[in-house]
Amino acid sequence: MGEAQVSLEHLFRVFTKPEHKDSKMAQIEQHLSDNILDFLSQHVVTKKTSLEEIEKDFSDSKVPESPEFVSTHAESLLDKLVAHSVNTYSPTFIGHMTSALPYFHLPLSKLMVGLNQNLVKIETSKAFTPLERQVLGMMHNLVYDESKDFYDSHLHSAKRSLGAFCSGGTIANITALWVARNKILGPQEGFAGVAKAGLAAAYRFHDINHLGVMCSKRGHYSLSKAVDALGLGRDQLLSLPAPNQTLDPEKALAAGKRYQEEGNKLLAIVGVGGTTETGHVDPLHELADVAKELGCWFHVDAAWGGATLFSSQYKHRLKGIERADSVTIDAHKQMYVPMGAGMALFKNPEDANAVRHHAQYILRAGSKDLGATTLEGSRNGMAMMVYSAMHIFGRRGYELLIDRSIEKAGTFADMIANHPDFELTTSPTLSLLTYRVCPAGLQEKLKHADEATKDKINEKLDRLTVIVQKQQREAGKSFVSRTRLEAPEYPTNCITVFRVVLANPLTSTQDLRNILDEQHKIATGTKLYKELVKVVGEYD
Amino acid sequence: MGEAQVSLEHLFRVFTKPEHKDSKMAQIEQHLSDNILDFLSQHVVTKKTSLEEIEKDFSDSKVPESPEFVSTHAESLLDKLVAHSVNTYSPTFIGHMTSALPYFHLPLSKLMVGLNQNLVKIETSKAFTPLERQVLGMMHNLVYDESKDFYDSHLHSAKRSLGAFCSGGTIANITALWVARNKILGPQEGFAGVAKAGLAAAYRFHDINHLGVMCSKRGHYSLSKAVDALGLGRDQLLSLPAPNQTLDPEKALAAGKRYQEEGNKLLAIVGVGGTTETGHVDPLHELADVAKELGCWFHVDAAWGGATLFSSQYKHRLKGIERADSVTIDAHKQMYVPMGAGMALFKNPEDANAVRHHAQYILRAGSKDLGATTLEGSRNGMAMMVYSAMHIFGRRGYELLIDRSIEKAGTFADMIANHPDFELTTSPTLSLLTYRVCPAGLQEKLKHADEATKDKINEKLDRLTVIVQKQQREAGKSFVSRTRLEAPEYPTNCITVFRVVLANPLTSTQDLRNILDEQHKIATGTKLYKELVKVVGEYD
């Protein structure tokens, strides 16, 4: 059953002719088109199934020997995969940065796959190449706001590049630091440059021990990958403590000076434009000054927050981003594009040449092939999704979405702050916030307790947060994530907090109220909560 | 006209409700579903439009201020983008590795985008995580054919990894060499390891000048990117001459010994399983011996050729691949999956731990989050496409496709060899071949000419090939690419050749005959051809 014929005719058919309109695959498509929310709520199972249970369906390590009918396979996808995937469209899934997408991306994804262009070179992408360059130009314009002349002369130049389109923010951050490394240790009299000669030779030539990258402890984990992959070493990621969730410019300057005095060179300061954990924005303008004083590159990781620039009201929260040498923005975050649309933008259109490379059969010198300055090779046409979204929303559409998310985060923050049994641990700068359960009275107690008592109480609160987060996730109605954070009031230890990302436009105030109520109910039902309430009395 | 309303209602609509069934976007979808070949032949313009002309449509650097109706935008996409994209489904587009795709990927792409999972962590991908692990396991099995016990204990292990799913072969190659570098310069008594301490410290500890990667001159350009990005430096890519298109094991051994005697360390030998330019396969078994003798890593870049393992008849052409420490395979090549499905496989499931990293809010120690050992962070659910294709084709379906491509390449090679005015420059090992125009008589002349004459004639033949390739491309009916190659008969200079990739199952023998006829017609119509014919006389 379900075994298709192995014949050339069959193979030709799957290349050229769709299944019948009543087939299972066609039904799935139609349902997705008609009402994706209904499709998801009908097929994604909300009851908890353990990962171990799910793994059983994906445990055969042999490539299936015989073909399967598309419709048979479609049934099996629904049962095994869709049923146990995450409903990212759910208004109560507010734990991560993935959310509902505008429906037009569904037909566009079909068009993208139908065209199957490869953007590494013009010969396999043609109009997609200028399209991608335009998308990068528009994003560059959003960040740097250069003159029309500037864009007219650089947008489609074979010798310059306003940015690199990437599969995601991690590759964008790595690309930016790769460019920075190759530029700062570039060719000069007596040295071929790090790209050719390698890192050790560059250190010998410049007589340095190490090359470092500085960020706050809230810097994204991709920076740690970047310093590893690029050969600097993870120890050279100078991540400064950030009790207030941001990188302190004075401390950054002092640490940078010390580092350089010790015989090292600071490659870059990375300011974050919306940390992944709390949505805080580093003081970018001040950090640009620090980078200037230290003579290093200034990169801004605005993978999450970059889209805030669409908002007239809130874009000032990223003030200073226009002074960055490079900026990362993910369109698959607050630009509501499907997963896989990261961008690294370069202030100076010559900078990407620090990583330029050529090959005989493609990327020939003088060509406009995009692959000449990207870390990736073959790439799909995701830039079309960004292009379309920018046209269909327009700046004003995005502005409305951004404003609404930030305001919703404010509303939720108030809701938490006003609830006696919750404590807001970080206020939203953008649309992220963190909080925890903390029974009425205990917040006040904590303020006046000594360090040992604080630690003891926090340890219990940490456990409570983990219990509530897990139980809520397993109940399947809502999802809030959790993380561990420094907090200015508790210098000795990190605390565990709920983490909320208010990205989904479908999330209502009532949804947020329900989520909080559910957490409260779970919390108050635990033994630990009762112990904590007792603690309030004990310290009275 | 075309300006949509900026309102919350409008924005909600694009998130929740599709356009009317008669809308332009819905029509595009329907046409793609009904008959993609017809859609492409109707909308992709074949007449030549210069890139400069196309760029005019993508020259505005301002983000559009106001929203646009989806249908208005769909019209504009058809006119500006689709019209000037490349028809990769065309049976006469045989110049690159992109081809027609089986139609089921169109509805699947909609499902993938509709689910919008993020595979960096289980919390945003759930069943997609075991699915991706299974896909990697199946590919691992195809290459390494380990025991059932092996897969049962490693497939879903939180501490091990059979491979890394990547956006493409370039990232896969970089990932493999990153793992190799971190393992070979790993932590040991007195040294924290290169991942932590950096490359320069590793060189100091091991007292080496350089770390190198060896391949033949036919190695993919991604290897050059890899040694640059990883900090080794492009000069440390030891790419040995390959007049016969493959890496000579004896020369590799000698060069490797010399390199190590000079105070350097060889990190890896990269054997290619299907070079991008000619489809040749390096002598993998012999190179595995060389790597063993030199004490270095052995990586096989089988981005193109890996799928040959599905064929009982031809898999022996990759003999020795099972001895590689790591292997790159792109599913978006001969597995007919949409662009964006590269994989790096690791023989030893512990090896990927050399790049393992953790973060507080995700990728926690002990989790099965896939992002802990990949270079990329957020990633989409492309693994589903591979999973589905493996089920719908089955091994036997892929076998049929692979066998047919290789046989078609043989047929085309015969056609060229038997044509008096064409010269087959490399025979197909897999489904790639190269050739050039060479007027009857001239091939014989060249054999007996002195070096200077050969160079003179080849220079003209090179120009002729370029002219023919360009004119054919511009005529818009067919596309063959070109490259420059070493050839054993011409030791002093590379020659320019046509490059053909027979990947598209829709390409018929008649298509190939027509392509050759068209080239012949273009060639014989040139002044240069007449000059070359005269040359034959001159040397008589």
Side-chain angles (χ1 to χ4, degrees):
Chain A
M1 211 195 86
E3 189 168 315
Q5 211 188 340
V6 187
S7 70
L8 277 180
E9 289 67 37
H10 169 74
L11 291 178
F12 259 83
R13 217 159 36 231
V14 299
F15 272 89
T16 54
K17 284 205 197 93
E19 294 264 298
H20 190 270
K21 283 186 202 222
D22 301 329
S23 76
K24 194 71 208 174
M25 193 61 106
Q27 282 169 19
I28 292 176
E29 259 210 89
Q30 198 56 49
H31 199 171
L32 281 165
S33 287
D34 290 344
N35 192 335
I36 186 166
L37 296 175
D38 185 66
F39 173 87
L40 294 171
S41 71
Q42 189 171 320
H43 292 288
V44 178
V45 169
T46 50
K47 83 167 176 56
K48 193 219 160 197
T49 309
S50 74
L51 187 59
E52 288 64 33
E53 201 58 40
I54 298 171
E55 282 169 356
K56 286 183 188 158
D57 278 336
F58 300 97
S59 58
D60 193 347
S61 63
K62 274 276 178 208
V63 177
E65 183 67 11
S66 298
E68 194 171 87
F69 284 116
V70 175
S71 281
T72 317
H73 183 69
E75 290 276 10
S76 131
L77 277 186
L78 284 182
D79 288 351
K80 296 180 185 170
L81 185 69
V82 179
H84 303 294
S85 61
V86 177
N87 184 350
T88 56
Y89 277 64
S90 161
T92 52
F93 178 86
I94 56 168
H96 285 302
M97 292 174 166
T98 33
S99 94
L101 295 175
Y103 81 90
F104 58 78
H105 284 308
L106 297 182
L108 283 180
S109 68
K110 245 174 98 173
L111 182 61
M112 184 179 85
V113 167
L115 294 172
N116 201 31
Q117 308 289 292
N118 179 352
L119 276 78
V120 70
K121 51 188 174 270
I122 286 179
E123 285 180 348
T124 52
S125 64
K126 226 168 151 190
F128 273 77
T129 293
L131 174 140
E132 185 169 292
R133 282 184 185 267
Q134 185 186 24
V135 165
L136 291 165
M138 285 178 173
M139 296 305 293
H140 191 283
N141 199 330
L142 188 71
V143 172
Y144 296 109
D145 195 21
E146 299 282 359
S147 69
K148 189 173 174 303
D149 276 358
F150 174 93
Y151 293 105
D152 285 349
S153 57
H154 299 315
L155 197 67
H156 294 295
S157 160
K159 290 182 185 152
R160 297 182 197 94
S161 171
L162 298 176
F165 205 95
C166 314
S167 65
T170 294
I171 299 294
N173 279 343
I174 294 175
T175 301
L177 292 174
W178 180 32
V179 165
R181 190 200 69 182
N182 283 13
K183 194 180 175 198
I184 283 185
L185 303 178
Q188 63 182 88
E189 177 94 38
F191 181 58
V194 67
K196 266 177 81 69
L199 206 52
Y203 288 15
R204 289 193 286 261
F205 179 81
H206 288 281
D207 193 23
I208 52 174
N209 294 324
H210 290 294
L211 196 64
V213 172
M214 190 189 289
C215 62
S216 91
K217 282 226 184 292
R218 294 285 83 73
H220 191 250
Y221 65 86
S222 59
L223 300 174
S224 174
K225 278 193 213 182
V227 291
D228 174 348
L230 294 173
L232 280 55
R234 287 174 192 246
D235 284 349
Q236 304 314 314
L237 184 67
L238 316 172
S239 54
L240 303 196
N244 298 308
Q245 316 305 336
T246 57
L247 183 55
D248 182 315
E250 274 180 43
K251 287 186 183 146
L253 182 63
K257 280 189 175 163
R258 208 177 323 121
Y259 187 70
Q260 310 223 92
E261 280 159 16
E262 286 163 358
N264 309 304
K265 191 167 175 60
L266 194 65
L267 171 63
I269 290 179
V270 180
V272 186
T275 69
T276 319
E277 288 167 279
T278 66
H280 278 74
V281 179
D282 282 331
L284 305 178
H285 187 68
E286 291 76 1
L287 290 174
D289 287 336
V290 174
K292 200 174 166 191
E293 186 161 348
L294 293 171
C296 71
W297 190 270
F298 182 42
H299 175 67
V300 172
D301 178 359
W304 173 258
T308 312
L309 295 168
F310 289 117
S311 162
S312 312
Q313 195 179 343
Y314 295 110
K315 69 177 174 190
H316 70 90
R317 295 199 177 166
L318 294 178
K319 194 170 162 287
I321 193 171
E322 72 287 353
R323 295 179 63 196
D325 295 296
S326 54
V327 171
T328 289
I329 298 180
D330 277 349
H332 56 243
K333 295 199 167 94
Q334 291 197 94
M335 288 175 72
Y336 301 98
V337 161
M339 201 55 59
M343 288 171 277
L345 306 167
F346 299 105
K347 187 184 182 78
N348 178 347
E350 306 276 359
D351 282 349
N353 290 330
V355 298
R356 187 176 284 277
H357 43 261
H358 298 288
Q360 280 296 349
Y361 62 109
I362 58 158
L363 318 179
R364 297 184 187 97
S367 85
K368 293 183 175 182
D369 292 339
L370 292 161
T373 53
T374 57
L375 185 62
E376 288 163 281
S378 295
R379 287 187 299 107
N380 67 15
M382 277 302 300
M384 178 183 77
M385 304 292 213
V386 187
Y387 175 86
S388 293
M390 286 206 286
H391 280 85
I392 294 172
F393 284 126
R395 188 200 61 79
R396 292 200 292 143
Y398 274 131
E399 176 171 55
L400 212 57
L401 287 171
I402 293 287
D403 289 358
R404 196 154 171 276
S405 293
I406 294 180
E407 282 150 22
K408 210 182 327 180
T411 307
F412 195 37
D414 289 345
M415 219 183 273
I416 293 162
N418 293 330
H419 194 299
D421 294 337
F422 285 97
E423 181 187 15
L424 186 68
T425 46
T426 61
S427 301
T429 304
L430 302 179
S431 47
L432 277 80
L433 50 87
T434 66
Y435 63 104
R436 62 177 180 172
V437 192
C438 195
L442 205 55
Q443 291 173 50
E444 198 53 36
K445 299 282 154 199
L446 270 166
K447 276 186 198 154
H448 311 292
D450 57 40
E451 294 308 319
T453 311
K454 278 181 182 175
D455 284 354
K456 214 173 124 189
I457 296 175
N458 279 330
E459 183 272 326
K460 283 185 203 285
L461 288 172
D462 287 353
R463 276 196 287 135
L464 181 61
T465 303
V466 172
I467 290 170
V468 174
Q469 191 263 348
K470 283 191 176 174
Q471 280 194 26
Q472 187 174 36
R473 183 184 68 196
E474 285 165 17
K477 265 192 298 190
S478 347
F479 174 71
V480 159
S481 60
R482 67 173 203 270
T483 190
R484 281 180 68 72
L485 283 185
E486 294 166 275
E489 314 85 82
Y490 314 116
T492 48
N493 273 307
C494 284
I495 57 169
T496 300
V497 295
F498 300 122
R499 168 176 168 267
V500 155
V501 184
L502 290 165
N504 193 336
L506 308 178
T507 305
S508 68
T509 311
Q510 187 57 47
D511 289 324
L512 299 174
R513 211 170 284 129
N514 296 345
I515 288 170
L516 215 55
D517 285 350
E518 190 186 17
Q519 292 182 322
H520 192 251
K521 204 173 152 195
I522 297 172
T524 52
T526 61
K527 229 173 71 186
L528 196 53
Y529 187 87
K530 285 161 195 129
E531 277 177 41
L532 281 159
V533 171
K534 257 176 64 188
V535 167
V536 181
E538 274 168 25
Y539 287 96
D540 261 342
Chain B
M1 212 197 83
E3 190 169 314
Q5 212 187 338
V6 186
S7 70
L8 277 181
E9 288 68 35
H10 168 74
L11 291 178
F12 260 82
R13 219 161 31 233
V14 299
F15 272 89
T16 53
K17 284 206 198 92
E19 295 264 297
H20 190 269
K21 282 185 204 224
D22 301 331
S23 76
K24 192 73 207 171
M25 193 62 104
Q27 283 169 17
I28 291 175
E29 260 209 88
Q30 198 55 52
H31 199 170
L32 281 166
S33 287
D34 290 344
N35 192 335
I36 185 166
L37 295 175
D38 185 65
F39 173 87
L40 294 172
S41 71
Q42 188 171 320
H43 291 289
V44 177
V45 170
T46 50
K47 85 167 175 57
K48 193 220 161 197
T49 309
S50 74
L51 187 60
E52 288 63 33
E53 201 60 38
I54 298 171
E55 283 170 355
K56 286 183 189 158
D57 278 337
F58 300 97
S59 58
D60 194 347
S61 63
K62 274 277 177 208
V63 177
E65 183 68 10
S66 296
E68 196 171 86
F69 284 116
V70 175
S71 281
T72 317
H73 184 68
E75 290 276 10
S76 131
L77 276 185
L78 284 182
D79 289 350
K80 295 181 186 171
L81 184 68
V82 179
H84 304 293
S85 61
V86 176
N87 184 350
T88 55
Y89 277 63
S90 162
T92 52
F93 179 86
I94 55 169
H96 285 301
M97 291 173 167
T98 34
S99 93
L101 294 175
Y103 81 89
F104 59 77
H105 284 308
L106 297 182
L108 283 180
S109 67
K110 248 174 95 172
L111 181 62
M112 182 179 85
V113 166
L115 294 172
N116 202 32
Q117 308 290 291
N118 180 352
L119 276 79
V120 70
K121 51 188 174 270
I122 286 179
E123 285 181 349
T124 52
S125 64
K126 227 170 152 188
F128 273 77
T129 293
L131 175 140
E132 186 169 292
R133 280 183 186 268
Q134 185 186 22
V135 165
L136 291 166
M138 284 178 173
M139 296 305 294
H140 191 283
N141 200 330
L142 189 70
V143 172
Y144 296 109
D145 194 21
E146 300 282 359
S147 69
K148 186 171 177 302
D149 276 359
F150 174 94
Y151 293 106
D152 284 350
S153 57
H154 299 315
L155 197 67
H156 294 295
S157 159
K159 290 182 186 154
R160 298 182 195 92
S161 171
L162 299 176
F165 205 93
C166 314
S167 66
T170 294
I171 298 295
N173 279 341
I174 294 175
T175 302
L177 292 173
W178 180 32
V179 166
R181 190 200 68 182
N182 283 13
K183 194 180 175 198
I184 284 184
L185 303 178
Q188 63 181 90
E189 177 93 38
F191 181 58
V194 65
K196 267 176 80 69
L199 205 53
Y203 288 16
R204 290 193 286 261
F205 178 79
H206 288 281
D207 193 23
I208 53 173
N209 293 324
H210 291 292
L211 197 63
V213 172
M214 189 188 290
C215 62
S216 91
K217 281 226 185 291
R218 294 286 82 72
H220 191 250
Y221 64 87
S222 58
L223 300 174
S224 174
K225 278 194 214 181
V227 291
D228 174 347
L230 295 173
L232 280 54
R234 288 175 193 246
D235 284 348
Q236 304 313 314
L237 184 67
L238 315 172
S239 54
L240 304 195
N244 298 308
Q245 316 305 336
T246 57
L247 183 55
D248 182 312
E250 274 180 44
K251 287 186 184 146
L253 182 62
K257 279 189 175 163
R258 206 176 324 120
Y259 187 70
Q260 310 223 96
E261 280 158 18
E262 286 164 357
N264 309 304
K265 192 169 175 59
L266 194 65
L267 172 63
I269 290 180
V270 180
V272 186
T275 69
T276 320
E277 289 167 278
T278 66
H280 279 73
V281 178
D282 282 331
L284 304 179
H285 188 69
E286 292 77 1
L287 291 175
D289 287 335
V290 175
K292 200 173 166 193
E293 186 161 349
L294 293 170
C296 72
W297 190 270
F298 182 42
H299 175 66
V300 172
D301 177 359
W304 173 258
T308 311
L309 295 169
F310 289 119
S311 162
S312 312
Q313 195 179 344
Y314 294 110
K315 67 178 175 189
H316 70 91
R317 296 200 176 166
L318 293 179
K319 193 171 161 286
I321 193 171
E322 72 286 354
R323 295 180 63 197
D325 295 297
S326 54
V327 171
T328 290
I329 298 181
D330 276 348
H332 56 243
K333 295 198 168 95
Q334 292 198 93
M335 286 176 73
Y336 301 98
V337 161
M339 199 56 59
M343 287 171 278
L345 306 167
F346 299 104
K347 187 184 182 78
N348 178 347
E350 306 276 359
D351 282 349
N353 290 329
V355 299
R356 188 175 283 276
H357 43 262
H358 298 287
Q360 280 297 349
Y361 62 109
I362 56 160
L363 318 179
R364 296 184 188 99
S367 85
K368 292 184 176 180
D369 292 338
L370 292 161
T373 53
T374 57
L375 185 62
E376 288 162 280
S378 295
R379 286 186 301 107
N380 66 16
M382 277 302 300
M384 178 184 76
M385 305 292 214
V386 187
Y387 175 86
S388 293
M390 285 206 286
H391 280 84
I392 294 172
F393 284 126
R395 189 201 59 80
R396 293 198 292 143
Y398 273 131
E399 177 171 55
L400 211 58
L401 288 170
I402 293 288
D403 289 357
R404 196 154 172 277
S405 293
I406 293 180
E407 282 149 23
K408 210 181 328 179
T411 307
F412 194 37
D414 290 344
M415 218 184 274
I416 293 161
N418 293 332
H419 195 299
D421 295 336
F422 285 97
E423 181 186 15
L424 186 68
T425 47
T426 61
S427 301
T429 304
L430 302 178
S431 47
L432 277 80
L433 52 86
T434 66
Y435 63 104
R436 61 176 180 173
V437 192
C438 194
L442 206 53
Q443 290 173 49
E444 199 53 35
K445 299 283 154 199
L446 270 166
K447 278 187 198 154
H448 310 292
D450 58 40
E451 293 310 319
T453 311
K454 279 181 182 175
D455 284 354
K456 216 174 123 189
I457 296 175
N458 278 331
E459 183 272 326
K460 281 185 206 284
L461 287 172
D462 287 354
R463 276 195 287 135
L464 182 61
T465 303
V466 173
I467 289 170
V468 174
Q469 192 262 348
K470 283 191 175 172
Q471 279 193 26
Q472 187 174 37
R473 183 184 69 197
E474 285 165 17
K477 266 191 297 189
S478 346
F479 174 71
V480 158
S481 60
R482 66 173 204 272
T483 190
R484 281 178 68 73
L485 282 187
E486 294 167 274
E489 314 84 81
Y490 313 116
T492 47
N493 272 307
C494 285
I495 57 169
T496 301
V497 295
F498 300 123
R499 166 178 170 267
V500 155
V501 185
L502 289 167
N504 194 335
L506 307 179
T507 305
S508 69
T509 311
Q510 187 56 49
D511 288 325
L512 298 174
R513 213 170 283 128
N514 295 344
I515 288 170
L516 215 54
D517 285 350
E518 190 186 16
Q519 291 183 322
H520 192 249
K521 203 173 154 195
I522 297 171
T524 51
T526 61
K527 229 172 70 187
L528 196 54
Y529 187 87
K530 284 161 196 127
E531 278 177 43
L532 281 160
V533 170
K534 255 175 66 188
V535 168
V536 181
E538 274 170 25
Y539 287 95
D540 262 341

